[in-house]
Amino acid sequence: MQLHSQTVSLDPREWKTGATASATNEKLAALVFDRLLALDNYGRFQPRLATEWSHDAAFKKWQFILRTNVKFSDGTLLNAADVAGALQPLLLNGQQIRASANSVVIQSAVAMPDLLEELASGRLFVYRAQPDGTLMGTGPFFVVEIGTEGRRPSNPAAKDSDGASVARGATGTMHLRFRANEETWAGRPFLDEIDVTIGVPPLRQLFDLQLGKADLVELSPDLVRRAMQEKLRVWSSVPVTLYALRFDDAQPGVADAKLREALALSLDRHTMANVLLQKQAEPAAALLPQWLSGYAFLFTMEKDIERAKEIRAALPPSAAASKEPLRLRVEAGGDLPKLLGERVAVNVRQAAIPLQVVNRAALRGSSATTSSNDAAASVHLFAWHYSSLSSRIELESFVSTLNLGESTSSAVSPTDPEQLYAREKKLLEERRVLPLVVLPEYVGLGPNVRDWMPARWGEWHLADVWLTVPESGAEQRGNSNAASPGAKP
Amino acid sequence: MYDKQKLSPSSPSAAVFLCLFLAIVFLCAPTPSRADSLEDGLTALALKVCLSARKQSIRMNWPVSPEQPGISSESAKKAFLTRLSVCGIEITENAEAPLLNIAVQFTPSRLLLIAESRGAADSQSTRMIEIPRSALALSHEFPSALHLRKELLWQQEKPINSAVEWLEKSSRQHFLFLLSEGLFVRLRHENEAWTLVDSTELPPGRPSRLGRGSFIHGDPEKQVEILLDGKECGVEIGDRISFTCKRNNVGGAVTTVSSACADTYAILITGTGDRTQADRVTMAGHEVVRTPMSEDEINANSVSMPGPVVDMVAREDGNSVAAVVKNLLTGNYEVYRVTTICED
């Protein structure tokens, strides 16, 4: 299995909300850790470490009965204190968890009707912190080896170091090897081991998939069409990553709502999605995607270049971008955000708003000598990975991470979807953030991968996957389409 | 007498008062944004529309949802319109009238009912109700093939590993046995429905991602048997269920069923796909050694299933098989009875 990510952390406490790296972290952590429950593709919550749950009438107190005889990868039993200790630092502010016999109780002063969605997604994994700081899980696999390319993987005794943070070296790639947990409560996974290589460039991933050197790779959007033309198996999730513009409140130049409106009206999101990204993305009119909020279709994308020019022309001479161009800083890594940034600049210039694109590396390089350059970036192009299955929690995380609003703890009634819609509508009308496009996640699969049954929002469920074992030429008789009996679970 | 006259519909003034009273009660009720059933959700949405719109005639777009036909059914629409009419909102075809768009949208865990009103007389407003998806019951019919017939016997959310019908010779009782999540589940056929009798834990063993246990082709002269962790376990059926296990190695997704056309058995097989693919049960012929079939032959002699066939076991009298299927559309586990029918 090959991943593009440069770094991996299996410690959920370290993950940054909304960071694109957290998508990779979640996938690998799901090999090692379990959640209390899961959400299936049919909208039903399925028991995992919790077998039953109940709540009071106000949704302020939930009790979760824990599965018995669940063992960590070292053979020790999971208890309620482990669950409480693991989840407390990961829960939202104001949520308190306590152990009670064979159950845990989560309480909050405000209603938590979407607590199940919260617990079934994101970083809410159950682990046990070891004295040396590493984490241990109850999941279907455990980490056995970590190594760099070009030398034999080290750390063979790292059975318990499931919470390792792994960074790619200056050269080469990094390997993580996961081994099947024979004692896992859900039954041994079908695969004996999973070898994960991180830091592999997208094109090399595609080649390795074609050559059979990898069974599963991440496909970058620009390679999806090529992979399909070459008859490779390609799977895509629902859109899970948003690319958007954010205006820097500290910069007086973009404080003018009229300038932001002109800029918003100049954006051609359809061209970005359909031409630039070869129809592998969707234009975004909302902060939350349709599959998550259910109401995103109510928002419309307004593109009116003439109106944008009119607004720009009516702005006072002192307005930003009159004397010197606005600076757009591309915060997200990779080629795709740079391309989007350039397209934004083209669109905005059509409305007579000069804009200069500065990518992250350039700003970093300049910051040592001219720190004012960095501070001058008034528009930021960023990526946001959706990680919660609760639209309310996702929106509140978005708002708080980007400092878009007031204290969010009571900003939206958790029981009213209309308020959530109204809040997002208000955020969009303020135009402090302008959504551009949303992208699915693309995966290339080898021909031997069977029972690939991911959640459509990107959970891979690798413990359910198995591989057909290619038969040797001499033994290849009979029905060639049939799986090798020895490999089928 | 006075009360009776006051509430009598035969009195015009009383009828007006009654309607007014009902309308006030309807409009003054709290307006929840969550509901636990589709019916309650539509009622709550109608109430919200009533509160946000004045008494008028409107046009309405009602959703067509092939994914959830029950939501957009005529009966649901009628119920919704009835509730709107209580507060004086009537439906018209007049193109000048304000438009009310009703939408049904799914999120990973919820269903959103959305009413969006647009029109000159009524500024744009959006009302929403959310319903847990788990509260929605699904029912789908699938076309039958020519030579095999299937009947849905049982469905549940929890995984079923194996199922078999069993006619108890002594008592003449008709059972359906399931192996589900480590339990031997006994259902009895009573009054045209299956009733849960009891469930018994299987002998302890190692958990498996595919679940544990599979019924072995039943021999009417023998007891019920299951294959469990590589062991063959006899099941004693009595007031309580007990198991006697011995090591053996048997199994397979091939079974036989008695032919309705001749005094012989037909071989039924399932496909070789994995659990991501819908399967079919195919009548492969009458010989144990099968010859390869063309796609046309397979289509003519098979019955499609709405998902992968998890297990398939013949009934003890050999007249039918029970096929456990995971429905890929609903996620439910379903048990089908597959029999042969003879057509001239």
Side-chain angles (χ1 to χ4, degrees), chain A residues 290-475:
Chain A
Q290 173 65 27
W291 67 267
L292 181 58
S293 73
Y295 59 65
F297 74 99
L298 295 170
F299 297 118
T300 53
M301 269 167 286
E302 41 182 8
K303 177 180 179 285
D304 189 338
I305 196 70
E306 295 307 318
R307 174 73 183 135
K309 287 178 183 175
E310 286 175 19
I311 295 171
R312 176 69 188 92
L315 286 173
S318 59
S322 295
K323 296 175 182 174
E324 58 183 48
L326 294 175
R327 303 195 76 190
L328 167 64
R329 170 175 163 166
V330 180
E331 291 179 346
D335 293 335
L336 172 62
K338 290 178 193 169
L339 286 172
L340 282 173
E342 294 296 340
R343 172 54 63 171
V344 168
V346 169
N347 288 159
V348 171
R349 286 172 196 146
Q350 287 175 336
I353 303 173
L355 186 141
Q356 178 188 354
V357 180
V358 185
N359 67 44
R360 187 171 53 171
L363 277 173
R364 273 182 184 165
S366 67
S367 62
T369 52
T370 53
S371 57
S372 59
N373 284 351
D374 193 5
S378 50
V379 191
H380 303 258
L381 195 155
F382 68 98
W384 179 271
H385 172 70
Y386 303 111
S387 60
S388 178
L389 290 173
S390 160
S391 50
R392 182 185 66 86
I393 291 171
E394 191 65 43
L395 186 63
E396 296 303 346
S397 299
F398 190 90
V399 168
S400 63
T401 304
L402 298 176
N403 295 318
L404 293 178
E406 67 282 14
S407 172
T408 57
S409 58
S410 59
V412 171
S413 164
T415 57
D416 192 345
E418 279 177 28
Q419 286 195 25
L420 187 67
Y421 165 69
R423 180 162 172 75
E424 184 170 350
K425 189 178 178 190
K426 183 169 179 285
L427 287 166
L428 290 166
E429 287 170 350
E430 287 172 353
R431 296 194 177 91
R432 293 164 68 196
V433 172
L434 302 178
L436 298 175
V437 292
V438 282
L439 267 82
E441 169 188 294
Y442 294 99
V443 173
L445 297 161
N448 297 328
V449 175
R450 306 293 296 266
D451 275 352
W452 170 252
M453 299 181 289
R456 58 195 182 96
W457 47 87
E459 290 175 6
W460 284 355
H461 300 165
L462 289 175
D464 293 324
V465 165
W466 51 283
L467 297 171
T468 51
V469 179
E471 297 175 23
S472 64
E475 296 169 343

Side-chain angles (χ1 to χ4, degrees), chain B residues 49-65:
Chain B
V49 171
C50 284
L51 288 173
S52 62
R54 61 186 175 82
K55 188 176 176 180
Q56 60 188 328
S57 293
I58 59 169
R59 291 175 295 140
M60 187 174 76
N61 277 339
W62 187 255
V64 176
S65 173

Side-chain angles (χ1 to χ4, degrees), chain B residues 309-321:
Chain B
V309 177
V310 177
D311 196 24
M312 187 171 68
V313 179
R315 200 165 82 170
E316 39 79 37
D317 61 5
N319 288 330
S320 66
V321 300

Side-chain angles (χ1 to χ4, degrees), chain B residues 66-281:
Chain B
E67 190 182 355
Q68 292 281 340
I71 293 168
S72 52
S73 67
E74 277 302 309
S75 59
K77 181 180 180 182
K78 189 177 176 184
F80 185 74
L81 292 180
T82 302
R83 288 176 177 100
L84 286 186
S85 66
V86 171
C87 60
I89 297 177
E90 299 296 338
I91 301 302
T92 178
E93 298 297 322
N94 183 355
E96 301 296 317
L99 179 64
L100 180 67
N101 283 314
I102 306 296
V104 177
Q105 299 293 332
F106 289 89
T107 74
S109 59
R110 291 155 202 264
L111 173 75
L112 226 54
L113 301 175
I114 301 174
E116 185 193 23
S117 59
R118 289 181 180 177
D122 183 14
S123 60
Q124 182 176 344
S125 69
T126 307
R127 296 288 172 257
M128 299 181 192
I129 298 291
E130 65 179 20
I131 305 168
R133 283 179 62 174
S134 55
L136 303 174
L138 295 176
S139 175
H140 292 277
E141 295 297 327
F142 294 90
S144 296
L146 189 59
H147 298 290
L148 293 174
R149 181 169 60 198
K150 68 185 181 195
E151 299 167 55
L152 179 61
L153 300 181
W154 182 255
Q155 64 172 329
Q156 64 183 43
E157 286 187 11
K158 290 182 177 177
I160 303 171
N161 276 84
S162 188
V164 67
E165 286 187 79
W166 190 263
L167 280 172
E168 181 64 45
K169 280 188 173 177
S170 55
S171 63
R172 304 304 300 165
Q173 292 186 99
H174 187 183
F175 290 103
L176 177 64
F177 299 141
L178 310 176
L179 298 180
S180 173
E181 295 199 318
L183 297 174
F184 183 100
V185 180
R186 180 159 52 164
L187 304 162
R188 185 165 49 220
H189 198 243
E190 294 174 336
N191 303 321
E192 301 301 315
W194 294 101
T195 307
L196 178 66
V197 178
D198 56 16
S199 60
T200 308
E201 282 196 19
L202 293 173
R206 172 165 290 188
S208 163
R209 287 197 168 268
L210 292 180
R212 296 180 62 231
S214 170
F215 288 106
I216 302 171
H217 175 228
D219 182 338
E221 301 303 319
K222 289 185 177 178
Q223 61 184 165
V224 180
E225 292 180 328
I226 57 177
L227 184 65
L228 187 68
D229 306 333
K231 298 174 186 172
E232 198 174 307
C233 299
V235 184
E236 294 290 341
I237 310 290
D239 290 340
R240 297 177 60 185
I241 302 290
S242 61
F243 306 93
T244 308
C245 298
K246 60 181 181 183
R247 185 157 292 282
N248 202 340
N249 281 314
V250 291
V254 179
T255 190
T256 59
V257 63
S258 62
S259 167
C261 300
D263 187 17
T264 181
Y265 280 85
I267 299 169
L268 300 185
I269 60 171
T270 61
T272 56
D274 65 14
R275 292 196 175 203
T276 64
Q277 299 164 321
D279 206 345
R280 53 189 169 190
V281 175

